[in-house]
Amino acid sequence: MNIHTISLQSRLCASSDLQGVPQEADYVMVRTAAAEDGYRMTERLVQAIESTGAEMVYADHYDLRDGTLEPHPLIDCTFGALRDDFDFGDVRLFRGDAFRRGVQALPRDLKYAALYALRLGMEGIFHLREKLYVSGVADRRKSGEKQFDYVNPRNRDVQVEMEAVCTAHLGKIGALVSRPLKDADTDESLFPCTASVIIPVFNRERTVMDAVRSALSQVADFEFNVIVVDNHSTDGTTSLLDSVEDGRLIHIIPERHDLGIGGCWDTAIRDSRCGAYAVQLDSDDVYSAPDVLSRIVERFRREKAAMVIGSYIMTDFDMNPIPPGLIDHREWTDSNGMNNALRINGLGAPRAFRTDILRSVGFPNTSYGEDYAVGLRISREYRIARIWEPLYCCRRWSGNSDAALGQDRINVNNAYKDSIRTAELLARIARNNER
């Protein structure tokens, strides 16, 4: 058994970093960080690749934090797992022939995305659910701090290359969406008002009135309302909402007790009082100016889009800007955003929708990824318009649901979004085959 090992400084690497594997190598082990081999690690990886017929295997591991071993379980790499930041850990084993074939097919000018492109080309990737090594933890940031790395302008060159690799892969598997996309209807006459600001809320007595006041203070030459779906709050949220004396505020307490954020959104958009455009505002955030709603509606009317996505500023609780500052998702392009959306982990905010199209799609009843699922589905057929200037302040505080997630919750969230991507990929392939 001949194993050739390649040690890389990180998971970003050039095509040249993967060259030079000898023909006699039966397997290639790629290490992307320092790791201490566990008991029979190599033997177990080889056994897994041979028994499954996979071309690449990876395994769970331990993280070493302050002298303590913490389990680091991973998730299965499914058909829709197109994220370039998918966590394979720091040790991967490839079949030698598959590795050499994959490297031979790589574009020679890749500077960052070679390992990403290589794994997209593998026929069969197996996840061995055994903790086979110990990895030193280099990135100690909380989950809420890591999630915006891909929109950091300093990473722009990396993201452009990753997008090109992913787009080429989508072309190979027949999943590319191409223009022209359909125009959305601009008729607003069938709705009771032009726009509705949608605020799902549960136990946000500290912030919800800031959000409501921000929405009600919008200045527009059209009628709008604010629909707050109060998901059976047990603190003072409900009383605060009941105290508002403004007929434009619609306070809904659902009959059901099994709704997630998506279910609350779905309840709001199917209410007969919902306007032609449904516009997002989270219960702990505020709009950045009194003309936000007008700008969003104007963009719908001008571009005949089914969805409009803005930009936002990250702030502390008192709305002082904090890193990374402006989140504008410049990786989105009008020509390829609908395809690149399958690679990234979110589309941006605030999100606004043409209500009739949104009703036809519907929100999944989850509290994570519900907006991403809807955005992917809409982008398959309709144009999504962007506003690059900040439209609201996204406040980071201890009450944020994604501020500091444990590994198990991160895995559940990532697996769910990968399942969404898988379903969307299959739908796009089927749609292209029908043409």
Side-chain angles (χ1 to χ4, degrees):
M1 180 175 64
N2 189 323
I3 299 178
H4 179 79
T5 299
I6 297 176
S7 296
L8 304 171
Q9 295 300 311
S10 74
R11 297 171 190 177
L12 299 179
C13 71
S15 298
S16 57
D17 295 328
L18 303 178
Q19 302 287 340
V21 174
Q23 288 295 320
E24 62 269 19
D26 301 306
Y27 308 99
V28 178
M29 181 176 290
V30 175
R31 294 173 174 260
T32 54
E36 179 184 343
D37 292 10
Y39 180 64
R40 298 176 62 225
M41 181 193 78
T42 301
E43 182 181 351
R44 288 297 296 139
L45 290 174
V46 170
Q47 287 177 347
I49 209 168
E50 287 304 318
S51 61
T52 63
E55 293 187 344
M56 175 186 136
V57 297
Y58 63 103
D60 298 343
H61 58 275
Y62 291 101
D63 288 332
L64 182 62
R65 295 178 185 267
D66 302 320
T68 301
L69 292 181
E70 297 182 1
H72 190 129
L74 303 176
I75 63 174
D76 292 348
C77 182
T78 59
F79 182 58
L82 297 183
R83 293 175 290 115
D84 58 77
D85 64 350
F86 188 95
D87 187 5
F88 290 103
D90 296 318
V91 178
R92 313 180 205 194
L93 187 72
F94 296 83
R95 289 184 180 273
D97 54 352
F99 186 92
R100 286 185 290 269
R101 183 175 64 251
V103 170
Q104 185 68 25
L106 292 179
R108 291 294 180 262
D109 58 349
L110 292 181
K111 297 179 180 179
Y112 313 103
L115 197 55
Y116 175 55
L118 181 68
R119 72 94 164 171
L120 287 179
M122 289 294 107
E123 294 291 338
I125 297 177
F126 182 72
H127 169 208
L128 182 58
R129 300 181 182 225
E130 299 174 16
K131 293 178 279 293
L132 293 184
Y133 59 94
V134 178
S135 177
V137 181
D139 191 343
R140 295 178 179 269
R141 294 175 300 162
K142 297 178 180 179
S143 60
E145 297 170 338
K146 297 177 183 179
Q147 64 178 326
F148 300 109
D149 285 353
Y150 70 99
V151 295
N152 190 324
R154 290 178 298 178
N155 298 331
R156 182 60 183 152
D157 289 347
V158 175
Q159 294 304 312
V160 168
E161 188 169 290
M162 295 290 183
E163 177 178 354
V165 167
C166 184
T167 302
H169 175 71
L170 293 175
K172 289 178 183 177
I173 64 175
L176 270 182
V177 172
S178 57
R179 296 177 62 87
L181 299 171
K182 294 191 294 188
D183 288 340
D185 194 352
T186 57
D187 183 6
E188 303 165 10
S189 63
L190 299 178
F191 296 87
C193 62
T194 298
S196 292
V197 176
I198 311 296
I199 306 177
V201 63
F202 174 72
N203 286 358
R204 283 290 187 268
E205 63 177 342
R206 189 177 175 188
T207 61
V208 67
M209 292 312 297
D210 292 339
V212 169
R213 283 190 288 265
S214 171
L216 290 174
S217 65
Q218 290 296 296
V219 177
D221 60 1
F222 51 79
E223 291 186 8
F224 69 92
N225 58 31
V226 179
I227 302 178
V228 180
V229 183
D230 177 6
N231 201 10
H232 305 282
S233 294
T234 57
D235 62 357
T237 296
T238 301
S239 296
L240 286 171
L241 293 169
D242 285 341
S243 70
V244 177
E245 297 181 356
D246 190 320
R248 295 173 299 168
L249 178 64
I250 299 170
H251 181 195
I252 298 176
I253 300 178
E255 293 182 5
R256 302 188 66 95
H257 288 259
D258 61 349
L259 298 184
I261 294 173
C264 290
W265 253 94
D266 216 62
T267 297
I269 64 169
R270 297 186 193 283
D271 190 282
S272 62
R273 295 163 289 185
C274 188
Y277 307 106
V279 185
Q280 172 227 349
L281 182 60
D282 289 344
S283 59
D284 45 10
D285 299 331
V286 297
Y287 288 134
S288 60
D291 66 342
V292 167
L293 202 54
S294 294
R295 295 172 65 186
I296 290 173
V297 169
E298 186 276 332
R299 192 60 58 94
F300 272 114
R301 291 169 172 171
R302 174 156 55 93
E303 298 199 24
K304 299 180 180 179
M307 184 175 178
V308 173
I309 306 176
S311 305
Y312 57 95
I313 291 284
M314 299 296 299
T315 74
D316 60 19
F317 186 82
D318 297 318
M319 287 179 283
N320 300 304
I322 59 174
L326 176 65
I327 305 296
D328 59 4
H329 286 265
R330 288 281 178 176
E331 78 283 352
W332 182 279
T333 62
D334 194 44
S335 61
N336 198 50
M338 61 284 196
N339 294 307
N340 194 40
L342 288 162
R343 178 186 68 88
I344 59 179
N345 230 12
L347 302 185
R351 298 167 291 276
F353 309 87
R354 175 74 192 192
T355 299
D356 50 358
I357 293 174
L358 189 54
R359 285 172 175 168
S360 71
V361 173
F363 273 93
N365 185 28
T366 64
S367 290
Y368 176 82
E370 71 289 337
D371 51 339
Y372 182 63
V374 169
L376 284 182
R377 175 62 186 87
I378 288 175
S379 70
R380 189 196 313 166
E381 294 186 60
Y382 296 94
R383 280 186 301 109
I384 295 178
R386 308 293 307 214
I387 297 177
W388 303 115
E389 296 76 31
L391 298 185
Y392 80 52
C393 299
C394 180
R395 295 198 282 185
R396 306 304 288 180
W397 61 299
S398 59
N400 289 137
S401 58
D402 60 355
L405 303 179
Q407 189 61 47
D408 287 344
R409 174 47 54 183
I410 291 172
N411 285 350
V412 168
N413 288 348
N414 283 334
Y416 176 63
K417 279 195 174 177
D418 286 346
S419 72
I420 291 170
R421 293 183 183 94
T422 296
E424 183 62 28
L425 271 177
L426 293 172
R428 294 183 181 198
I429 291 170
R431 184 168 178 258
N432 287 342
N433 288 339
E434 291 172 357
R435 293 180 173 179

mmCIF file with all atom_site columns, all heavy atoms in Angstrom, residues 167-189:
data_model
loop_
_atom_site.group_PDB
_atom_site.id
_atom_site.type_symbol
_atom_site.label_atom_id
_atom_site.label_alt_id
_atom_site.label_comp_id
_atom_site.label_asym_id
_atom_site.label_entity_id
_atom_site.label_seq_id
_atom_site.pdbx_PDB_ins_code
_atom_site.Cartn_x
_atom_site.Cartn_y
_atom_site.Cartn_z
_atom_site.occupancy
_atom_site.B_iso_or_equiv
_atom_site.pdbx_formal_charge
_atom_site.auth_seq_id
_atom_site.auth_comp_id
_atom_site.auth_asym_id
_atom_site.auth_atom_id
_atom_site.pdbx_PDB_model_num
ATOM 1   N N   . THR A 1 167 ? -19.802 27.330 -11.063 1.00 0.00 ? 167 THR A N   1
ATOM 2   C CA  . THR A 1 167 ? -20.605 27.512 -12.270 1.00 0.00 ? 167 THR A CA  1
ATOM 3   C C   . THR A 1 167 ? -20.250 26.476 -13.325 1.00 0.00 ? 167 THR A C   1
ATOM 4   O O   . THR A 1 167 ? -21.130 25.916 -13.991 1.00 0.00 ? 167 THR A O   1
ATOM 5   C CB  . THR A 1 167 ? -20.412 28.931 -12.825 1.00 0.00 ? 167 THR A CB  1
ATOM 6   O OG1 . THR A 1 167 ? -20.772 29.894 -11.819 1.00 0.00 ? 167 THR A OG1 1
ATOM 7   C CG2 . THR A 1 167 ? -21.272 29.162 -14.056 1.00 0.00 ? 167 THR A CG2 1
ATOM 8   N N   . ALA A 1 168 ? -18.958 26.191 -13.468 1.00 0.00 ? 168 ALA A N   1
ATOM 9   C CA  . ALA A 1 168 ? -18.537 25.154 -14.423 1.00 0.00 ? 168 ALA A CA  1
ATOM 10  C C   . ALA A 1 168 ? -19.099 23.796 -14.019 1.00 0.00 ? 168 ALA A C   1
ATOM 11  O O   . ALA A 1 168 ? -19.539 23.014 -14.874 1.00 0.00 ? 168 ALA A O   1
ATOM 12  C CB  . ALA A 1 168 ? -17.011 25.104 -14.486 1.00 0.00 ? 168 ALA A CB  1
ATOM 13  N N   . HIS A 1 169 ? -19.117 23.520 -12.723 1.00 0.00 ? 169 HIS A N   1
ATOM 14  C CA  . HIS A 1 169 ? -19.672 22.251 -12.237 1.00 0.00 ? 169 HIS A CA  1
ATOM 15  C C   . HIS A 1 169 ? -21.171 22.166 -12.531 1.00 0.00 ? 169 HIS A C   1
ATOM 16  O O   . HIS A 1 169 ? -21.658 21.113 -12.977 1.00 0.00 ? 169 HIS A O   1
ATOM 17  C CB  . HIS A 1 169 ? -19.419 22.130 -10.734 1.00 0.00 ? 169 HIS A CB  1
ATOM 18  C CG  . HIS A 1 169 ? -20.047 20.927 -10.104 1.00 0.00 ? 169 HIS A CG  1
ATOM 19  N ND1 . HIS A 1 169 ? -19.593 19.643 -10.319 1.00 0.00 ? 169 HIS A ND1 1
ATOM 20  C CD2 . HIS A 1 169 ? -21.118 20.819 -9.263  1.00 0.00 ? 169 HIS A CD2 1
ATOM 21  C CE1 . HIS A 1 169 ? -20.348 18.795 -9.638  1.00 0.00 ? 169 HIS A CE1 1
ATOM 22  N NE2 . HIS A 1 169 ? -21.283 19.473 -8.997  1.00 0.00 ? 169 HIS A NE2 1
ATOM 23  N N   . LEU A 1 170 ? -21.893 23.251 -12.301 1.00 0.00 ? 170 LEU A N   1
ATOM 24  C CA  . LEU A 1 170 ? -23.324 23.252 -12.594 1.00 0.00 ? 170 LEU A CA  1
ATOM 25  C C   . LEU A 1 170 ? -23.579 22.999 -14.074 1.00 0.00 ? 170 LEU A C   1
ATOM 26  O O   . LEU A 1 170 ? -24.544 22.312 -14.443 1.00 0.00 ? 170 LEU A O   1
ATOM 27  C CB  . LEU A 1 170 ? -23.942 24.585 -12.171 1.00 0.00 ? 170 LEU A CB  1
ATOM 28  C CG  . LEU A 1 170 ? -23.968 24.879 -10.663 1.00 0.00 ? 170 LEU A CG  1
ATOM 29  C CD1 . LEU A 1 170 ? -24.508 26.282 -10.411 1.00 0.00 ? 170 LEU A CD1 1
ATOM 30  C CD2 . LEU A 1 170 ? -24.798 23.850 -9.923  1.00 0.00 ? 170 LEU A CD2 1
ATOM 31  N N   . GLY A 1 171 ? -22.711 23.544 -14.935 1.00 0.00 ? 171 GLY A N   1
ATOM 32  C CA  . GLY A 1 171 ? -22.841 23.287 -16.362 1.00 0.00 ? 171 GLY A CA  1
ATOM 33  C C   . GLY A 1 171 ? -22.644 21.818 -16.698 1.00 0.00 ? 171 GLY A C   1
ATOM 34  O O   . GLY A 1 171 ? -23.371 21.241 -17.520 1.00 0.00 ? 171 GLY A O   1
ATOM 35  N N   . LYS A 1 172 ? -21.683 21.181 -16.034 1.00 0.00 ? 172 LYS A N   1
ATOM 36  C CA  . LYS A 1 172 ? -21.397 19.769 -16.309 1.00 0.00 ? 172 LYS A CA  1
ATOM 37  C C   . LYS A 1 172 ? -22.558 18.860 -15.907 1.00 0.00 ? 172 LYS A C   1
ATOM 38  O O   . LYS A 1 172 ? -22.823 17.851 -16.568 1.00 0.00 ? 172 LYS A O   1
ATOM 39  C CB  . LYS A 1 172 ? -20.131 19.353 -15.565 1.00 0.00 ? 172 LYS A CB  1
ATOM 40  C CG  . LYS A 1 172 ? -18.852 19.942 -16.131 1.00 0.00 ? 172 LYS A CG  1
ATOM 41  C CD  . LYS A 1 172 ? -17.641 19.527 -15.306 1.00 0.00 ? 172 LYS A CD  1
ATOM 42  C CE  . LYS A 1 172 ? -16.371 20.182 -15.835 1.00 0.00 ? 172 LYS A CE  1
ATOM 43  N NZ  . LYS A 1 172 ? -15.188 19.831 -14.994 1.00 0.00 ? 172 LYS A NZ  1
ATOM 44  N N   . ILE A 1 173 ? -23.239 19.207 -14.818 1.00 0.00 ? 173 ILE A N   1
ATOM 45  C CA  . ILE A 1 173 ? -24.316 18.330 -14.347 1.00 0.00 ? 173 ILE A CA  1
ATOM 46  C C   . ILE A 1 173 ? -25.681 18.764 -14.882 1.00 0.00 ? 173 ILE A C   1
ATOM 47  O O   . ILE A 1 173 ? -26.707 18.177 -14.520 1.00 0.00 ? 173 ILE A O   1
ATOM 48  C CB  . ILE A 1 173 ? -24.345 18.260 -12.807 1.00 0.00 ? 173 ILE A CB  1
ATOM 49  C CG1 . ILE A 1 173 ? -24.681 19.631 -12.194 1.00 0.00 ? 173 ILE A CG1 1
ATOM 50  C CG2 . ILE A 1 173 ? -23.023 17.738 -12.272 1.00 0.00 ? 173 ILE A CG2 1
ATOM 51  C CD1 . ILE A 1 173 ? -24.842 19.582 -10.676 1.00 0.00 ? 173 ILE A CD1 1
ATOM 52  N N   . GLY A 1 174 ? -25.701 19.794 -15.727 1.00 0.00 ? 174 GLY A N   1
ATOM 53  C CA  . GLY A 1 174 ? -26.953 20.214 -16.361 1.00 0.00 ? 174 GLY A CA  1
ATOM 54  C C   . GLY A 1 174 ? -27.873 21.010 -15.472 1.00 0.00 ? 174 GLY A C   1
ATOM 55  O O   . GLY A 1 174 ? -29.099 20.975 -15.651 1.00 0.00 ? 174 GLY A O   1
ATOM 56  N N   . ALA A 1 175 ? -27.307 21.767 -14.513 1.00 0.00 ? 175 ALA A N   1
ATOM 57  C CA  . ALA A 1 175 ? -28.131 22.492 -13.555 1.00 0.00 ? 175 ALA A CA  1
ATOM 58  C C   . ALA A 1 175 ? -28.070 24.007 -13.723 1.00 0.00 ? 175 ALA A C   1
ATOM 59  O O   . ALA A 1 175 ? -28.633 24.728 -12.902 1.00 0.00 ? 175 ALA A O   1
ATOM 60  C CB  . ALA A 1 175 ? -27.715 22.134 -12.126 1.00 0.00 ? 175 ALA A CB  1
ATOM 61  N N   . LEU A 1 176 ? -27.435 24.504 -14.762 1.00 0.00 ? 176 LEU A N   1
ATOM 62  C CA  . LEU A 1 176 ? -27.310 25.953 -14.936 1.00 0.00 ? 176 LEU A CA  1
ATOM 63  C C   . LEU A 1 176 ? -28.656 26.593 -15.273 1.00 0.00 ? 176 LEU A C   1
ATOM 64  O O   . LEU A 1 176 ? -29.421 26.071 -16.093 1.00 0.00 ? 176 LEU A O   1
ATOM 65  C CB  . LEU A 1 176 ? -26.323 26.283 -16.058 1.00 0.00 ? 176 LEU A CB  1
ATOM 66  C CG  . LEU A 1 176 ? -24.849 26.448 -15.694 1.00 0.00 ? 176 LEU A CG  1
ATOM 67  C CD1 . LEU A 1 176 ? -24.059 26.808 -16.949 1.00 0.00 ? 176 LEU A CD1 1
ATOM 68  C CD2 . LEU A 1 176 ? -24.653 27.501 -14.617 1.00 0.00 ? 176 LEU A CD2 1
ATOM 69  N N   . VAL A 1 177 ? -28.918 27.717 -14.638 1.00 0.00 ? 177 VAL A N   1
ATOM 70  C CA  . VAL A 1 177 ? -30.053 28.559 -15.019 1.00 0.00 ? 177 VAL A CA  1
ATOM 71  C C   . VAL A 1 177 ? -29.504 29.683 -15.883 1.00 0.00 ? 177 VAL A C   1
ATOM 72  O O   . VAL A 1 177 ? -28.529 30.327 -15.533 1.00 0.00 ? 177 VAL A O   1
ATOM 73  C CB  . VAL A 1 177 ? -30.751 29.148 -13.780 1.00 0.00 ? 177 VAL A CB  1
ATOM 74  C CG1 . VAL A 1 177 ? -31.797 30.178 -14.181 1.00 0.00 ? 177 VAL A CG1 1
ATOM 75  C CG2 . VAL A 1 177 ? -31.398 28.037 -12.968 1.00 0.00 ? 177 VAL A CG2 1
ATOM 76  N N   . SER A 1 178 ? -30.135 29.894 -17.018 1.00 0.00 ? 178 SER A N   1
ATOM 77  C CA  . SER A 1 178 ? -29.660 30.936 -17.929 1.00 0.00 ? 178 SER A CA  1
ATOM 78  C C   . SER A 1 178 ? -30.753 31.970 -18.157 1.00 0.00 ? 178 SER A C   1
ATOM 79  O O   . SER A 1 178 ? -31.935 31.700 -17.972 1.00 0.00 ? 178 SER A O   1
ATOM 80  C CB  . SER A 1 178 ? -29.229 30.329 -19.272 1.00 0.00 ? 178 SER A CB  1
ATOM 81  O OG  . SER A 1 178 ? -30.303 29.605 -19.852 1.00 0.00 ? 178 SER A OG  1
ATOM 82  N N   . ARG A 1 179 ? -30.340 33.159 -18.505 1.00 0.00 ? 179 ARG A N   1
ATOM 83  C CA  . ARG A 1 179 ? -31.291 34.212 -18.827 1.00 0.00 ? 179 ARG A CA  1
ATOM 84  C C   . ARG A 1 179 ? -31.854 33.961 -20.224 1.00 0.00 ? 179 ARG A C   1
ATOM 85  O O   . ARG A 1 179 ? -31.281 33.212 -20.994 1.00 0.00 ? 179 ARG A O   1
ATOM 86  C CB  . ARG A 1 179 ? -30.574 35.568 -18.763 1.00 0.00 ? 179 ARG A CB  1
ATOM 87  C CG  . ARG A 1 179 ? -30.088 35.899 -17.351 1.00 0.00 ? 179 ARG A CG  1
ATOM 88  C CD  . ARG A 1 179 ? -29.326 37.211 -17.335 1.00 0.00 ? 179 ARG A CD  1
ATOM 89  N NE  . ARG A 1 179 ? -30.175 38.314 -17.739 1.00 0.00 ? 179 ARG A NE  1
ATOM 90  C CZ  . ARG A 1 179 ? -30.948 39.002 -16.898 1.00 0.00 ? 179 ARG A CZ  1
ATOM 91  N NH1 . ARG A 1 179 ? -30.967 38.688 -15.628 1.00 0.00 ? 179 ARG A NH1 1
ATOM 92  N NH2 . ARG A 1 179 ? -31.689 39.998 -17.333 1.00 0.00 ? 179 ARG A NH2 1
ATOM 93  N N   . PRO A 1 180 ? -33.016 34.564 -20.601 1.00 0.00 ? 180 PRO A N   1
ATOM 94  C CA  . PRO A 1 180 ? -33.750 35.543 -19.798 1.00 0.00 ? 180 PRO A CA  1
ATOM 95  C C   . PRO A 1 180 ? -34.669 34.880 -18.787 1.00 0.00 ? 180 PRO A C   1
ATOM 96  O O   . PRO A 1 180 ? -35.192 33.782 -19.013 1.00 0.00 ? 180 PRO A O   1
ATOM 97  C CB  . PRO A 1 180 ? -34.566 36.290 -20.847 1.00 0.00 ? 180 PRO A CB  1
ATOM 98  C CG  . PRO A 1 180 ? -34.806 35.268 -21.912 1.00 0.00 ? 180 PRO A CG  1
ATOM 99  C CD  . PRO A 1 180 ? -33.580 34.405 -21.945 1.00 0.00 ? 180 PRO A CD  1
ATOM 100 N N   . LEU A 1 181 ? -34.837 35.555 -17.644 1.00 0.00 ? 181 LEU A N   1
ATOM 101 C CA  . LEU A 1 181 ? -35.760 35.102 -16.618 1.00 0.00 ? 181 LEU A CA  1
ATOM 102 C C   . LEU A 1 181 ? -37.080 35.844 -16.762 1.00 0.00 ? 181 LEU A C   1
ATOM 103 O O   . LEU A 1 181 ? -37.169 36.872 -17.422 1.00 0.00 ? 181 LEU A O   1
ATOM 104 C CB  . LEU A 1 181 ? -35.157 35.346 -15.236 1.00 0.00 ? 181 LEU A CB  1
ATOM 105 C CG  . LEU A 1 181 ? -33.829 34.604 -14.968 1.00 0.00 ? 181 LEU A CG  1
ATOM 106 C CD1 . LEU A 1 181 ? -33.211 35.091 -13.675 1.00 0.00 ? 181 LEU A CD1 1
ATOM 107 C CD2 . LEU A 1 181 ? -34.055 33.111 -14.918 1.00 0.00 ? 181 LEU A CD2 1
ATOM 108 N N   . LYS A 1 182 ? -38.118 35.326 -16.141 1.00 0.00 ? 182 LYS A N   1
ATOM 109 C CA  . LYS A 1 182 ? -39.450 35.898 -16.303 1.00 0.00 ? 182 LYS A CA  1
ATOM 110 C C   . LYS A 1 182 ? -39.600 37.203 -15.520 1.00 0.00 ? 182 LYS A C   1
ATOM 111 O O   . LYS A 1 182 ? -39.030 37.362 -14.444 1.00 0.00 ? 182 LYS A O   1
ATOM 112 C CB  . LYS A 1 182 ? -40.512 34.895 -15.844 1.00 0.00 ? 182 LYS A CB  1
ATOM 113 C CG  . LYS A 1 182 ? -40.610 33.653 -16.697 1.00 0.00 ? 182 LYS A CG  1
ATOM 114 C CD  . LYS A 1 182 ? -41.841 32.839 -16.364 1.00 0.00 ? 182 LYS A CD  1
ATOM 115 C CE  . LYS A 1 182 ? -41.805 32.268 -14.986 1.00 0.00 ? 182 LYS A CE  1
ATOM 116 N NZ  . LYS A 1 182 ? -42.923 31.314 -14.735 1.00 0.00 ? 182 LYS A NZ  1
ATOM 117 N N   . ASP A 1 183 ? -40.404 38.109 -16.077 1.00 0.00 ? 183 ASP A N   1
ATOM 118 C CA  . ASP A 1 183 ? -40.784 39.312 -15.351 1.00 0.00 ? 183 ASP A CA  1
ATOM 119 C C   . ASP A 1 183 ? -41.902 38.984 -14.375 1.00 0.00 ? 183 ASP A C   1
ATOM 120 O O   . ASP A 1 183 ? -42.780 38.160 -14.656 1.00 0.00 ? 183 ASP A O   1
ATOM 121 C CB  . ASP A 1 183 ? -41.283 40.402 -16.311 1.00 0.00 ? 183 ASP A CB  1
ATOM 122 C CG  . ASP A 1 183 ? -40.168 41.013 -17.132 1.00 0.00 ? 183 ASP A CG  1
ATOM 123 O OD1 . ASP A 1 183 ? -38.994 40.897 -16.721 1.00 0.00 ? 183 ASP A OD1 1
ATOM 124 O OD2 . ASP A 1 183 ? -40.470 41.600 -18.190 1.00 0.00 ? 183 ASP A OD2 1
ATOM 125 N N   . ALA A 1 184 ? -41.894 39.645 -13.236 1.00 0.00 ? 184 ALA A N   1
ATOM 126 C CA  . ALA A 1 184 ? -42.992 39.515 -12.285 1.00 0.00 ? 184 ALA A CA  1
ATOM 127 C C   . ALA A 1 184 ? -44.096 40.500 -12.642 1.00 0.00 ? 184 ALA A C   1
ATOM 128 O O   . ALA A 1 184 ? -43.848 41.546 -13.251 1.00 0.00 ? 184 ALA A O   1
ATOM 129 C CB  . ALA A 1 184 ? -42.484 39.782 -10.871 1.00 0.00 ? 184 ALA A CB  1
ATOM 130 N N   . ASP A 1 185 ? -45.315 40.174 -12.276 1.00 0.00 ? 185 ASP A N   1
ATOM 131 C CA  . ASP A 1 185 ? -46.456 41.055 -12.491 1.00 0.00 ? 185 ASP A CA  1
ATOM 132 C C   . ASP A 1 185 ? -46.266 42.331 -11.669 1.00 0.00 ? 185 ASP A C   1
ATOM 133 O O   . ASP A 1 185 ? -45.761 42.292 -10.548 1.00 0.00 ? 185 ASP A O   1
ATOM 134 C CB  . ASP A 1 185 ? -47.736 40.336 -12.064 1.00 0.00 ? 185 ASP A CB  1
ATOM 135 C CG  . ASP A 1 185 ? -48.991 41.039 -12.556 1.00 0.00 ? 185 ASP A CG  1
ATOM 136 O OD1 . ASP A 1 185 ? -48.876 42.152 -13.102 1.00 0.00 ? 185 ASP A OD1 1
ATOM 137 O OD2 . ASP A 1 185 ? -50.083 40.466 -12.382 1.00 0.00 ? 185 ASP A OD2 1
ATOM 138 N N   . THR A 1 186 ? -46.650 43.456 -12.222 1.00 0.00 ? 186 THR A N   1
ATOM 139 C CA  . THR A 1 186 ? -46.559 44.722 -11.492 1.00 0.00 ? 186 THR A CA  1
ATOM 140 C C   . THR A 1 186 ? -47.927 45.267 -11.102 1.00 0.00 ? 186 THR A C   1
ATOM 141 O O   . THR A 1 186 ? -48.035 46.362 -10.558 1.00 0.00 ? 186 THR A O   1
ATOM 142 C CB  . THR A 1 186 ? -45.811 45.782 -12.330 1.00 0.00 ? 186 THR A CB  1
ATOM 143 O OG1 . THR A 1 186 ? -46.483 45.936 -13.588 1.00 0.00 ? 186 THR A OG1 1
ATOM 144 C CG2 . THR A 1 186 ? -44.375 45.363 -12.567 1.00 0.00 ? 186 THR A CG2 1
ATOM 145 N N   . ASP A 1 187 ? -48.982 44.504 -11.366 1.00 0.00 ? 187 ASP A N   1
ATOM 146 C CA  . ASP A 1 187 ? -50.334 44.939 -11.009 1.00 0.00 ? 187 ASP A CA  1
ATOM 147 C C   . ASP A 1 187 ? -50.514 44.845 -9.493  1.00 0.00 ? 187 ASP A C   1
ATOM 148 O O   . ASP A 1 187 ? -50.379 43.776 -8.904  1.00 0.00 ? 187 ASP A O   1
ATOM 149 C CB  . ASP A 1 187 ? -51.359 44.063 -11.725 1.00 0.00 ? 187 ASP A CB  1
ATOM 150 C CG  . ASP A 1 187 ? -52.795 44.505 -11.464 1.00 0.00 ? 187 ASP A CG  1
ATOM 151 O OD1 . ASP A 1 187 ? -52.986 45.567 -10.825 1.00 0.00 ? 187 ASP A OD1 1
ATOM 152 O OD2 . ASP A 1 187 ? -53.718 43.790 -11.899 1.00 0.00 ? 187 ASP A OD2 1
ATOM 153 N N   . GLU A 1 188 ? -50.816 45.960 -8.857  1.00 0.00 ? 188 GLU A N   1
ATOM 154 C CA  . GLU A 1 188 ? -50.998 46.007 -7.414  1.00 0.00 ? 188 GLU A CA  1
ATOM 155 C C   . GLU A 1 188 ? -52.472 46.135 -7.024  1.00 0.00 ? 188 GLU A C   1
ATOM 156 O O   . GLU A 1 188 ? -52.792 46.177 -5.830  1.00 0.00 ? 188 GLU A O   1
ATOM 157 C CB  . GLU A 1 188 ? -50.200 47.181 -6.836  1.00 0.00 ? 188 GLU A CB  1
ATOM 158 C CG  . GLU A 1 188 ? -48.713 47.113 -7.159  1.00 0.00 ? 188 GLU A CG  1
ATOM 159 C CD  . GLU A 1 188 ? -47.995 48.430 -6.905  1.00 0.00 ? 188 GLU A CD  1
ATOM 160 O OE1 . GLU A 1 188 ? -48.621 49.336 -6.294  1.00 0.00 ? 188 GLU A OE1 1
ATOM 161 O OE2 . GLU A 1 188 ? -46.828 48.569 -7.318  1.00 0.00 ? 188 GLU A OE2 1
ATOM 162 N N   . SER A 1 189 ? -53.370 46.161 -8.009  1.00 0.00 ? 189 SER A N   1
ATOM 163 C CA  . SER A 1 189 ? -54.768 46.495 -7.743  1.00 0.00 ? 189 SER A CA  1
ATOM 164 C C   . SER A 1 189 ? -55.526 45.405 -6.994  1.00 0.00 ? 189 SER A C   1
ATOM 165 O O   . SER A 1 189 ? -56.574 45.680 -6.391  1.00 0.00 ? 189 SER A O   1
ATOM 166 C CB  . SER A 1 189 ? -55.487 46.797 -9.065  1.00 0.00 ? 189 SER A CB  1
ATOM 167 O OG  . SER A 1 189 ? -55.509 45.638 -9.904  1.00 0.00 ? 189 SER A OG  1
#
